[in-house]
Amino acid sequence: MHVSNLTEFHKFAARISTRTGTPIFSRKAATAQSDWKARGKSQLLPSKFATPFPRCLSERRTGVRYPCRCSSDAVVRAAAADKPIEPSGTAPKKFSTLANRAAYGTLLGAMGAFVILSGGVLYSCFAAAASYQTSREFSALITTMNNNKDTSAPPSTICDLMCVFCILFPLMAYFYPTGGKPALMLTLAAFVLLCMEVLTVEKPKFSQLTAAVFGLFYCGFLVSFWVKLRMVAAPALSASIAQSWPVLLGGLTHWTVGLVATLTAVVCIIAADTGAYFVGKNLGKTQLIRISPKKTVEGTVGGLCCSSIAALVCFNFFNWPASALAAIGFAVSVFVASVFGDLIESILKRDAGVKDSGSLIPGHGGLLDRFDSYMFSGAVAYIYVTIALPYFGV
């Protein structure tokens, strides 16, 4: 089929560009197109303004010869069948992205397992560093909201002070694993930030006050519960791995309820995210909630099932908690917290108009993108272990 006017040629060019991943027109051509159309020309745009694209496609559809980038018969057949094709010599983008996610996810998983097993100061410092990085990304998100919408973000000095306070919460939980010291710290830090905003901002807005306090709660106080969970010192003597654990690495006493609960919670979250992704991608049809259009009911059910299976596997391996019913209850609690943690971060990114909170981890985005499912899960897991499990006989 030959194209007889400029409008049809533009539509054809857009289709070819989408399928091949090759832009057909340069910036110079864009100006030329406007001028050509303004002069009321009905014939084709002169070929001198076009950048190279497959000759086989141009000759087949337009009758105009352009320099050839790819004259493969496969390209001709794909274009004729109206199927997407990849430019020659390049790997599929989706495959490379998935490979990056898998590689960096494995690296993060190995590092996380080492830190959790180590516990103590290393674990607490890692949690403090995570609090700082997530608070920096949170500050960037609310600043972007300020630029995109009619909202006000706290001044940069307030955001910096908020990040410093967030570091203190995990450390406070390490030195005071029981009691309400982190909650007192939250109250004091929020009071200091609010006073500074009132004194330094000429006309402070409510959105500025709430953003600073929410940042303390979201990136600092919630993370401290992961430290409190790991610091639960009750021995997990029934864990089979504890019986053969080397004495040089802590021996039998190294395996506590805190260690087992932390590992189980992390495994449940990873299983839930993985199951939700693959089930939703292959079977997902029903949208779960408008906040996150890609989340489906099918994917959520798949994530819940995978989280429950992971909890049962950990139950058989660690002999914790006391019953399979308690293990499933733990998995469901952690799963619900992880889903809502993900949704809350989606709200932040949607209001900021960004896809990722940062670019720290290739293939995953920022640390907040990677840890959004963990933000509320630590608090829920700690409450379940210390309050709910005693009713199951633990």
Side-chain angles (χ1 to χ4, degrees):
M1 180 185 73
H2 291 270
V3 180
S4 59
N5 59 64
L6 186 61
T7 301
E8 291 182 9
F9 182 76
H10 287 170
K11 293 180 180 178
F12 162 72
R15 291 201 307 272
I16 299 303
S17 179
T18 300
R19 289 185 219 138
T20 63
T22 304
I24 295 179
F25 293 110
S26 62
R27 291 189 177 182
K28 179 180 178 182
T31 304
Q33 291 171 33
S34 300
D35 295 342
W36 194 258
K37 189 174 181 181
R39 291 199 297 267
K41 302 293 184 179
S42 60
Q43 61 268 38
L44 286 174
L45 184 69
S47 59
K48 66 179 181 179
F49 294 114
T51 57
F53 75 102
R55 177 188 299 163
C56 51
L57 300 179
S58 63
E59 291 179 357
R60 184 181 182 88
R61 298 292 181 89
T62 66
V64 180
R65 181 180 293 271
Y66 293 96
C68 183
R69 256 186 207 181
C70 176
S71 57
S72 169
D73 291 338
V75 176
V76 178
R77 290 193 299 269
D82 199 29
K83 294 181 179 179
I85 55 177
E86 293 289 341
S88 58
T90 62
K93 185 177 180 181
K94 288 185 178 180
F95 176 79
S96 61
T97 302
L98 186 60
N100 278 339
R101 287 179 62 88
Y104 283 95
T106 303
L107 180 62
L108 281 175
M111 184 173 64
F114 174 76
V115 171
I116 293 173
L117 286 171
S118 299
V121 176
L122 177 62
Y123 180 83
S124 302
C125 290
F126 181 84
S131 289
Y132 176 78
Q133 179 60 31
T134 53
S135 63
R136 297 304 305 178
E137 294 177 4
F138 173 81
S139 299
L141 286 176
I142 60 177
T143 302
T144 306
M145 293 178 197
N146 184 34
N147 297 332
N148 294 345
K149 296 190 175 184
D150 188 20
T151 58
S152 297
S156 58
T157 53
I158 302 297
C159 290
D160 293 339
L161 184 59
M162 179 197 69
C163 296
V164 173
F165 277 133
C166 286
I167 297 175
L168 300 179
F169 284 101
L171 300 179
M172 183 74 70
Y174 172 72
F175 289 108
Y176 302 98
T178 59
K181 294 295 192 303
L184 294 177
M185 180 70 186
L186 175 63
T187 304
L188 178 61
F191 177 70
V192 171
L193 288 182
L194 294 177
C195 289
M196 288 193 63
E197 288 199 63
V198 171
L199 294 175
T200 58
V201 181
E202 184 177 355
K203 291 182 179 181
K205 294 185 178 182
F206 184 69
S207 60
Q208 293 176 305
L209 304 179
T210 54
V213 175
F214 182 74
L216 285 174
F217 170 77
Y218 187 60
C219 302
F221 184 66
L222 289 178
V223 176
S224 70
F225 279 97
W226 281 104
V227 180
K228 292 170 72 70
L229 178 65
R230 178 63 179 85
M231 295 292 290
V232 174
L237 300 178
S238 59
S240 56
I241 191 173
Q243 309 298 328
S244 58
W245 194 252
V247 177
L248 293 177
L249 298 180
L252 186 63
T253 58
H254 181 75
W255 286 88
T256 62
V257 170
L259 173 57
V260 173
T262 303
L263 288 173
T264 302
V266 171
V267 170
C268 287
I269 293 172
I270 294 174
D273 287 346
T274 305
Y277 173 77
F278 284 105
V279 174
K281 183 178 179 181
N282 293 292
L283 303 176
K285 294 181 180 179
T286 309
Q287 188 181 70
L288 176 66
I289 191 169
R290 293 180 62 184
I291 294 172
S292 184
K294 291 185 178 181
K295 292 193 180 302
T296 62
V297 174
E298 294 81 3
T300 303
V301 173
L304 177 60
C305 293
C306 289
S307 179
S308 300
I309 293 172
L312 291 175
V313 171
C314 291
F315 166 70
N316 291 325
F317 186 74
F318 295 124
N319 292 321
W320 181 93
S323 66
L325 179 62
I328 293 176
F330 184 78
V332 172
S333 302
V334 170
F335 172 76
V336 172
S338 69
V339 169
F340 280 94
D342 193 350
L343 292 175
I344 289 171
E345 201 233 352
S346 296
I347 295 173
L348 294 174
K349 292 190 294 186
R350 184 189 63 184
D351 283 356
V354 297
K355 183 175 182 268
D356 297 318
S357 65
S359 56
L360 180 66
I361 309 172
H364 292 268
L367 195 65
L368 193 56
D369 294 313
R370 183 63 273 172
F371 284 179
D372 55 358
S373 299
Y374 295 80
M375 301 305 283
F376 290 92
S377 301
V380 171
Y382 177 77
I383 293 171
Y384 188 89
V385 169
T386 57
I387 297 178
L389 277 187
Y391 293 100
F392 289 95
V394 179

